[in-house]
Amino acid sequence: MGPQPAEQVVLVIGTGSGKTLVVMIGAAIADAGTIFLVLLMVALQGDMLRRFHEVGIRPLIWSVDCKRSASLVIVSAEAACTQGFLEYCHVLVSKQKLDRIVVDEGHLTYHGQRLPAMHGPAGLLVRPRIIRESTNRPNIKYMVSFEAGPRALIERAASLVQAYWPKQEIFDHSRDKIIIYCRTREEVAQLADILYPLEMGGFAA
């Protein structure tokens, strides 16, 4: 990719824009090495398998006792962090058969376990090539702000809900929803403790 190919590439494109196609093309090339597809969300595995089967690609689902290889190997994030998987990688590397490692929904690696097979020695990407298209959606408006401390973040989220949900010029209560993503179940519980007593309506943890 370019005159000096990058070892690490971050691809940021919209839903349905062809991220999976990158994996499909690599796996379909004759005499290609092995591609690892790390799925951070188990719920995506069934959909991924269906899409691969539709184009004639038969991926291998890696498990602890797996010794054979394939052009495409799918592995869960939990399994990718095990010693057994690292040994499996080392065998392929020693035979010069490991082509690339693709991490789906890679942004989630910064909210959970870091994948030793993906990141550099310090656990971070090292000067990756970033390819990005606009991911703006005309029906969504957002802003980014920084808050100090996890408890402050929860309280800030609750205050925004309290301030904006009653505004009928913004929300149609018969149709609209507010979705708050929390990093842990503990933070969900903290948010629920604040919002439930306020009878915000339709709040679910």
Side-chain angles (χ1 to χ4, degrees):
M1 185 178 294
Q4 295 182 331
E7 290 188 6
Q8 297 171 327
V9 178
V10 176
L11 181 61
V12 183
I13 59 178
T15 301
S17 298
K19 294 189 293 293
T20 306
L21 188 61
V22 174
V23 180
M24 290 180 173
I25 292 175
I29 295 175
D31 300 323
T34 295
I35 297 176
F36 287 137
L37 175 58
V38 182
L39 295 181
L40 302 182
M41 300 177 67
V42 177
L44 294 176
Q45 180 170 301
D47 180 62
M48 284 288 190
L49 288 174
R50 176 187 59 77
R51 295 163 70 182
F52 288 133
H53 288 167
E54 286 177 352
V55 296
I57 298 175
R58 296 293 183 267
L60 172 67
I61 308 298
W62 188 85
S63 59
V64 176
D65 57 350
C66 182
K67 302 299 182 184
R68 62 190 183 93
S69 62
S71 62
L72 177 60
V73 176
I74 295 178
V75 59
S76 68
E78 292 78 13
C81 295
T82 63
Q83 184 62 32
F85 180 72
L86 293 180
E87 292 173 357
Y88 180 77
C89 290
H90 290 159
V91 171
L92 290 175
V93 171
S94 67
K95 297 179 180 180
Q96 297 185 341
K97 290 186 176 181
L98 179 57
D99 190 354
R100 72 197 69 183
I101 299 173
V102 179
V103 181
D104 190 50
E105 305 292 348
H107 59 283
L108 296 177
T109 63
Y110 291 93
H111 299 288
Q113 293 191 56
R114 296 187 178 230
L115 304 179
M118 172 190 173
H119 297 289
L124 297 172
L125 292 171
V126 181
R127 293 190 298 276
R129 184 183 300 275
I130 300 176
I131 302 173
R132 177 166 189 156
E133 71 169 8
S134 174
T135 53
N136 290 339
R137 298 186 180 182
N139 62 333
I140 295 178
K141 182 179 180 180
Y142 68 92
M143 65 178 183
V144 177
S145 64
F146 294 92
E147 306 293 336
R151 184 67 190 183
L153 188 62
I154 295 299
E155 292 174 349
R156 176 60 174 161
S159 68
L160 288 173
V161 172
Q162 295 169 35
Y164 286 97
W165 181 248
K167 296 186 177 183
Q168 297 183 3
E169 68 273 19
I170 298 178
F171 292 104
D172 179 351
H173 289 183
S174 66
R175 179 196 64 196
D176 296 335
K177 301 286 189 300
I178 293 178
I179 301 176
I180 303 175
Y181 294 97
C182 298
R183 293 171 296 183
T184 65
R185 292 182 179 179
E186 289 74 16
E187 290 184 352
V188 172
Q190 292 173 12
L191 190 61
D193 288 341
I194 297 174
L195 293 181
Y196 270 132
L198 301 177
E199 297 182 355
M200 297 305 297
F203 179 79

